[in-house]
């Protein structure tokens, strides 16, 4: 599992809080339907209370300032040293789970690199061309010598911000859950990253300059198979898969009228067939289009994409560091305490592979 260095240091230096938050995260993921997660039988409410307590203890340890040394929690929470370390712990908790969330969501189409502050991701694109095999006579010592060069592309993370009204006092007094706050922050960052990644992916695969051999506008099972064979062959025989929303994948069916489906067929249970002519069929989780005012969905239900996951991914994502900045309690005109979570990342369509799509 790929991790940011901040998350690794967090696991080493804040073991109890790390373990408790990992257990909480796995519990929430299991509720969402993610398989293979193991977690304790304690309720989420009790886990949130335990994480708040461990967060406070970790805060005392890192800041070197005991809560009991202040006259009350309000003054303690507004100590500049305490606030600084609270932000640092929150950043580590975000970086701890964000990689896994991203890989689950968009790992099928994106190569994700996790970096520290100031780093730039370098992607080496291998030359996929084959060497030319020349006809030569028995008295010819050598044919034309050939050398292929790879291409490099860089992606520099750009700072993005989530600005919220926050209160360390509420966390330390049990009024707010730091676990819920971090989970919502991660979900917000993930949603924006996915939004940009899907836009880049669809634009790259469906662009007008894409060759006609890589796009099918009138679906037949023969044309779908041909497209999968084309993507596989031109990606160094790395096998293609069909990906799309569950609604789109329902259209990926043999057109022969002699096929029949019974109530216990896999198609009836899943809503799509898991394999089509020996090519895997993988659903992409639909997501909300948060720019919509009519509860729109982001992914197109009228397109099935054909990609080679084991080849070079179409999308590259460079994920940099996290930095939270909390204002002073009296800095704003309305006396609200605000916090900004700054997350650096960049998304781009950079690949040496080919992909195609089917309009359904």
């Amino acid at each position: 599992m790929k991790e940011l260095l901040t998350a690794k240091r967090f696991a080493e230096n804040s073991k109890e809080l790390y373990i408790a938050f990992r257990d909480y995260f796995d519990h929430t993921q299991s509720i969402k339907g993610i398989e293979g997660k193991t977690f304790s039988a304690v309720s989420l409410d009790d886990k949130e209370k335990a994480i708040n307590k461990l967060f406070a203890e970790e805060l005392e340890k890192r800041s070197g300032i005991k809560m009991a040394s202040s006259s009350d929690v309000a003054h303690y929470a507004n100590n500049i040293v305490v606030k600084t370390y609270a932000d640092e712990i929150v950043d580590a908790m975000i970086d701890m789970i964000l990689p896994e969330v991203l890989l689950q969501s968009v790992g099928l189409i994106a190569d994700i690199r996790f970096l520290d502050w100031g780093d730039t991701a370098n992607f080496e694109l291998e030359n996929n061309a084959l060497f030319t095999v020349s006809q030569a006579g028995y008295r010819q010592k050598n044919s034309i010598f050939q050398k292929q060069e790879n291409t490099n592309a860089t992606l520099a993370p750009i700072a993005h911000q989530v600005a919220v009204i926050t209160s360390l006092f509420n966390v330390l007094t049990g009024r707010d859950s730091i676990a819920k706050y971090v989970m919502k922050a991660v979900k917000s960052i993930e949603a924006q990253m996915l939004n940009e990644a899907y836009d880049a992916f669809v634009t790259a695969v469906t662009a007008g300059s894409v060759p006609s051999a890589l796009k099918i506008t009138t679906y037949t099972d023969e044309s779908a198979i041909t497209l999968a064979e084309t993507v596989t062959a031109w990606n160094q025989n790395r096998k293609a898969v069909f990906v799309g929303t569950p609604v789109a994948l329902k259209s990926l069916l043999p057109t022969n009228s002699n096929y029949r489906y019974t109530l216990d067929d896999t198609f009836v249970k899943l809503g799509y067939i898991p394999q089509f002519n020996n090519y895997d069929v993988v659903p992409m989780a639909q997501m909300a289009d948060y720019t919509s005012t009519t509860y729109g969905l982001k992914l197109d239900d009228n397109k099935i994409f054909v990609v080679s996951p084991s080849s070079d991914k179409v999308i590259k994502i460079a994920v940099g560091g996290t930095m939270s900045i909390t204002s002073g309690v009296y800095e704003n005109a309305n006396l609200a305490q605000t916090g900004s979570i700054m997350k650096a990342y960049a998304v781009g369509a950079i690949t040496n592979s080919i992909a195609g799509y089917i309009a359904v």
Side-chain angles (χ1 to χ4, degrees):
M1 180 67 201
K2 297 180 180 178
E3 282 187 308
L4 290 161
L5 288 178
T6 49
K8 292 181 180 179
R9 297 189 195 106
F10 181 51
E12 294 169 358
N13 300 328
S14 312
K15 191 172 182 179
E16 288 187 56
L17 179 56
Y18 180 93
I19 292 172
F21 191 52
R22 164 58 64 180
D23 183 67
Y24 176 84
F25 172 68
D26 287 342
H27 195 159
T28 59
Q29 292 298 93
S30 178
I31 291 174
K32 287 173 56 179
I34 305 298
E35 296 181 356
K37 296 295 182 183
T38 56
F39 49 89
S40 66
V42 180
S43 70
L44 285 178
D45 285 342
D46 287 340
K47 288 179 181 180
E48 289 171 7
K49 293 174 184 176
I51 290 170
N52 269 19
K53 181 175 182 294
L54 290 170
F55 177 83
E57 292 173 357
E58 183 64 23
L59 189 52
E60 288 184 326
K61 183 181 78 173
R62 292 200 187 195
S63 67
I65 304 173
K66 295 292 184 180
M67 196 180 305
S69 65
S70 295
S71 56
D72 53 44
V73 177
H75 286 84
Y76 178 79
N78 281 292
N79 184 305
I80 187 64
V81 176
V82 172
K83 287 195 299 182
T84 299
Y85 279 102
D87 288 340
E88 186 177 319
I89 297 169
V90 168
D91 293 342
M93 293 172 75
I94 290 173
D95 288 346
M96 168 186 162
I97 63 174
L98 184 60
E100 183 173 335
V101 170
L102 283 177
L103 289 170
Q104 288 173 353
S105 301
V106 78
L108 188 66
I109 61 171
D111 180 3
I112 308 171
R113 301 283 178 86
F114 300 100
L115 315 168
D116 273 336
W117 280 105
D119 290 344
T120 298
N122 179 63
F123 298 93
E124 184 172 359
L125 306 180
E126 185 179 348
N127 192 322
N128 275 341
L130 299 178
F131 291 119
T132 300
V133 180
S134 305
Q135 183 176 334
Y138 289 110
R139 294 182 180 277
Q140 182 178 344
K141 182 176 182 180
N142 298 307
S143 63
I144 299 173
F145 289 104
Q146 304 163 69
K147 188 176 186 302
Q148 295 179 346
E149 300 290 346
N150 293 337
T151 303
N152 287 282
T154 59
L155 202 56
I158 301 169
H160 297 70
Q161 282 192 357
V162 180
V164 296
I165 293 177
T166 183
S167 174
L168 178 59
F169 170 79
N170 283 353
V171 172
L172 296 177
T173 56
R175 290 171 170 83
D176 291 340
S177 164
I178 190 65
K180 276 186 177 179
Y181 172 78
V182 171
M183 289 295 295
K184 180 161 283 192
V186 169
K187 184 62 181 174
S188 302
I189 295 168
E190 177 210 11
Q192 183 59 31
M193 284 188 181
L194 290 182
N195 186 67
E196 295 181 29
Y198 284 138
D199 281 346
F201 176 73
V202 173
T203 299
V205 177
T206 65
S209 58
V210 172
S212 59
L214 298 177
K215 48 189 177 185
I216 296 172
T217 55
T218 304
Y219 171 80
T220 65
D221 50 349
E222 290 85 0
S223 63
I225 295 167
T226 300
L227 178 56
E229 289 177 335
T230 302
V231 171
T232 299
W234 284 92
N235 284 335
Q236 298 288 317
N237 285 320
R238 298 180 178 96
K239 199 163 185 178
V241 301
F242 295 97
V243 300
T245 66
V247 174
L249 294 178
K250 289 177 72 70
S251 301
L252 196 65
L253 293 170
T255 53
N256 190 316
S257 60
N258 291 322
Y259 281 95
R260 296 290 183 271
Y261 298 95
T262 61
L263 290 176
D264 60 348
D265 280 331
T266 305
F267 172 74
V268 176
K269 294 177 181 177
L270 297 179
Y272 60 89
I273 53 176
Q275 273 205 336
F276 182 70
N277 201 64
N278 206 31
Y279 290 98
D280 288 340
V281 178
V282 181
M284 298 173 73
Q286 185 61 272
M287 65 174 290
D289 180 0
Y290 291 104
T291 64
S292 171
T293 58
T294 57
Y295 303 103
L297 297 175
K298 181 66 182 176
L299 299 184
D300 192 345
D301 287 328
N302 298 313
K303 288 184 178 64
I304 297 173
F305 300 98
V306 184
V307 298
S308 294
S310 59
S311 184
D312 188 59
K313 303 290 179 63
V314 176
I315 299 302
K316 304 294 187 292
I317 303 177
V319 182
T322 308
M323 179 74 73
S324 293
I325 305 167
T326 303
S327 71
V329 70
Y330 297 120
E331 286 184 16
N332 298 299
N334 63 355
L335 303 185
Q337 191 169 17
T338 59
S340 293
I341 302 172
M342 185 181 296
K343 185 64 186 178
Y345 70 88
V347 176
I350 305 169
T351 187
N352 66 357
S353 300
I354 67 167
Y357 78 94
I358 305 166
V360 296

